[in-house]
Amino acid sequence: AQRGSDKRRVTVCTFLSNRAVFIKGLMHVSHCLSWYSFFCFQSHPEVIEAAKTAIDERGAGLSSVRFICGTQDIHLDLEEKISRFHSREAAILYASCFDANAGLFEAILTPEDAVLSDELNHASIIDGLRLCKAQKQRYTHLDMQDLENKLAAVRSTSRMRLIVTDGVFSMDGDVAPLVKIVELAKKYDALVFIDECHATGFLGATGRGTEQYLGIRDEVDIINSTLGKALGGAAGGYTTGPANLISLLRQKARPYLFSNSLPPAVVASASKVFDILMRDTSLTEQVARNTQLFRQRMTDAGFKIMGDNHPICPVWLGDARLASEFSDEMLQRGIYVIGFSFPVVPKGKARIRVQLSAVHTTEDVNRCVDAFIEIGKQKNVI
C-alpha cells in the first residue's frame, strides 16, 4: 500500500452513548460519524429490552437451519413485518444481506436468462452473480443508454432479463436512476432487482427506500436489504417480493438451506425496530435535516461532497495518503471518520466518508464541519 494509506483497524470497546464510543488506545471519542447506524437503534431501550426478553424466553440460539427446527413464530412474524413495510407479498430471512445476494441469482436464473448489472454494484452482488449461469452484462455506472443498448442486445437471446442495481451506492452516495430503469424494464420485458442496504429505514419520507425517495411505488420486482445497518445494527438480511419467488427461495437458496437460523435476540430486536419505524417518522426526518445541514455547510466551505442528498456523505480528497492523514487528525479532535482508498475505491478517488444519523445534534454536525474546515485549510484542501 502507498505509505501513509494503510488501512488500520481500531478496536471499539463499547458504546458510551448514542453517538459516542470508547476506542482502545484513544479513550473517549465524542462524535462517531462512521457507523451505518442511522438511528442508533442498537442502544434504543425498547430494542434492547426486546432482545433481552427473547434470550430469557427463547434462548441464545436454535442450533438449526430454518427448515429443520430453526423457525420460531418470531421469525415468521418478522418476515411478515418486512413484507408489510415494503408493501410486498412475502419475505425470507438470511444471516446477512451478503447471504441474500449469494442465494438469489443462482436460484432464479438459468443459462437461458440474462442479467444486467451496474458496474459499481456491491461486492456481494458481484459474488452472487458469479454463482449463476445466466448471460452476464455489466453496464456503465448509472448510464441508462448503455443499459438500454445491452438490453436490446440480449432481448432476442434470453428467456428472462433481470436488471440488478444498488438502490444507493455506498462509496459515492449516489442514487440509482430507478425511474428510468423501471421504464427500460417495461420496454424490454425485464425484471428489476435492487439492493436497499443503504436506503431501508431512512431514505424517503417514511424510510421505505429508493422507490419512495424517487416518487414511484411498487415498481421493483425484488428487494434485498439488511437488518445490520439502520434496522438495529445486529445482523441479518432478507429478500422480499412476490410470494411465489419467496417460496422458490425457501426450496433452492443455498445460504438459507445451509445456514443456521438467526438467533432469537436478533430477530426480536429487528422486529421491534420495524414497530418503531412504522409508528413514527421523526427519526427519518431528523436524518434528512442533519444531512442537509452537513452537505450545505461543507459545500459552502469549498469541499466537494459526492453523491445525492443522502446521509452517506463522501468528502472528496483524491489522494489516499491525504485521506488517511486527514481522518487521523479528525480523530485527534474526537471525531471518528474514516478515509477510504484503493482497493475499496478506485485509485486516485480517495475520500473520507461521513455518515449522519438521527441522534447527531445540530451542535455535533457543526463541530464536525468546523473541524473539517480547520484541517482543510491547514492541508490546502480548501
Side-chain angles (χ1 to χ4, degrees):
Q2 179 180 344
R3 184 176 177 82
S5 68
D6 291 12
K7 293 160 187 61
R8 295 180 296 280
R9 182 187 66 189
V10 299
T11 302
V12 178
C13 299
T14 184
F15 285 100
L16 298 179
S17 71
N18 277 338
R19 63 185 192 276
V21 296
F22 183 94
I23 295 179
K24 186 176 181 180
L26 291 167
M27 300 303 288
H28 180 248
V29 176
S30 58
H31 296 77
C32 182
L33 291 103
S34 287
W35 53 25
Y36 279 121
S37 183
F38 297 98
F39 301 127
C40 293
F41 278 133
Q42 76 273 16
S43 57
H44 193 289
E46 290 184 52
V47 177
I48 292 174
E49 185 59 32
K52 288 179 177 178
T53 300
I55 290 177
D56 290 341
E57 296 180 353
R58 299 167 183 274
L62 298 172
S63 301
S64 175
V65 298
R66 283 286 300 275
F67 74 91
I68 299 177
C69 54
T71 296
Q72 296 180 328
D73 56 340
I74 56 174
H75 293 83
L76 300 177
D77 181 58
L78 177 55
E79 288 171 335
E80 188 278 328
K81 287 179 183 179
I82 289 169
S83 60
R84 179 153 44 94
F85 183 82
H86 287 285
S87 298
R88 262 59 185 186
E89 292 179 359
I92 180 174
L93 287 169
Y94 292 90
S96 68
C97 191
F98 204 112
D99 277 354
N101 286 338
L104 176 70
F105 307 112
E106 181 184 25
I108 68 171
L109 296 174
T110 73
E112 289 74 42
D113 301 321
V115 59
L116 304 99
S117 177
D118 188 293
E119 66 178 349
L120 294 188
N121 277 337
H122 192 267
S124 60
I125 295 176
I126 295 170
D127 285 359
L129 290 174
R130 286 173 176 159
L131 297 173
C132 78
K133 297 179 180 179
Q135 307 171 46
K136 300 177 183 72
Q137 298 283 336
R138 187 174 64 175
Y139 63 90
T140 304
H141 182 50
L142 306 183
D143 187 334
M144 295 297 96
Q145 185 58 60
D146 190 37
L147 173 58
E148 180 164 18
N149 291 343
K150 287 179 168 55
L151 281 166
V154 300
R155 178 161 54 177
S156 62
T157 62
S158 57
R159 176 186 67 100
M160 180 178 73
R161 290 152 295 286
L162 178 66
I163 302 170
V164 173
T165 183
D166 278 325
V168 175
F169 295 84
S170 63
M171 285 299 111
D172 292 342
D174 45 8
V175 179
L178 198 55
V179 175
K180 183 61 176 179
I181 288 174
V182 167
E183 178 186 317
L184 290 174
K186 292 178 179 178
K187 181 177 179 180
Y188 290 93
D189 192 23
L191 301 177
V192 177
F193 162 93
I194 58 173
D195 181 312
E196 287 283 76
C197 287
H198 303 94
T200 300
F202 59 92
L203 193 66
T206 63
R208 265 51 176 187
T210 307
E211 282 185 303
Q212 186 179 63
Y213 177 75
L214 295 176
I216 60 178
R217 184 179 176 85
D218 303 337
E219 297 283 2
V220 171
D221 300 285
I222 308 169
I223 296 173
N224 277 10
S225 195
T226 182
L227 304 174
K229 293 184 169 64
L231 304 179
Y238 58 85
T239 297
T240 186
N244 59 354
L245 167 70
I246 302 306
S247 295
L248 176 68
L249 293 175
R250 292 195 194 280
Q251 301 301 316
K252 295 187 64 177
R254 293 167 70 86
Y256 175 84
L257 293 169
F258 298 105
S259 295
N260 269 13
S261 176
L262 279 177
V266 173
V267 175
S269 60
S271 186
K272 178 57 66 175
V273 167
F274 277 106
D275 290 342
I276 295 169
L277 288 176
M278 287 193 278
R279 77 181 186 222
D280 182 12
T281 62
S282 61
L283 292 173
T284 303
E285 293 162 1
Q286 185 60 40
V287 173
R289 285 193 292 271
N290 286 343
T291 299
Q292 181 62 34
L293 174 61
F294 179 84
R295 284 181 172 271
Q296 188 63 58
R297 280 206 64 201
M298 289 288 285
T299 301
D300 290 346
F303 287 98
K304 177 183 176 182
I305 310 301
M306 303 169 66
D308 299 310
N309 192 30
H310 189 278
I312 295 176
C313 302
V315 181
W316 172 272
L317 294 173
D319 181 73
R321 186 172 184 177
L322 173 62
S324 179
E325 292 175 352
F326 203 121
S327 64
D328 285 346
E329 295 207 23
M330 292 287 286
L331 190 55
Q332 294 304 316
R333 288 163 173 78
I335 299 170
Y336 185 33
V337 291
I338 295 296
F340 284 85
S341 57
F342 182 82
V344 180
V345 297
K347 289 183 179 180
K349 295 186 177 182
R351 77 286 304 266
I352 290 177
R353 191 172 67 180
V354 177
Q355 294 167 194
L356 285 306
S357 82
V359 298
H360 290 123
T361 65
T362 299
E363 180 185 357
D364 294 336
V365 178
N366 283 329
R367 182 184 169 194
C368 179
V369 174
D370 290 342
F372 263 107
I373 291 173
E374 178 187 356
I375 299 168
K377 289 179 178 179
Q378 291 174 0
K379 295 187 172 296
N380 297 315
V381 174
I382 56 172

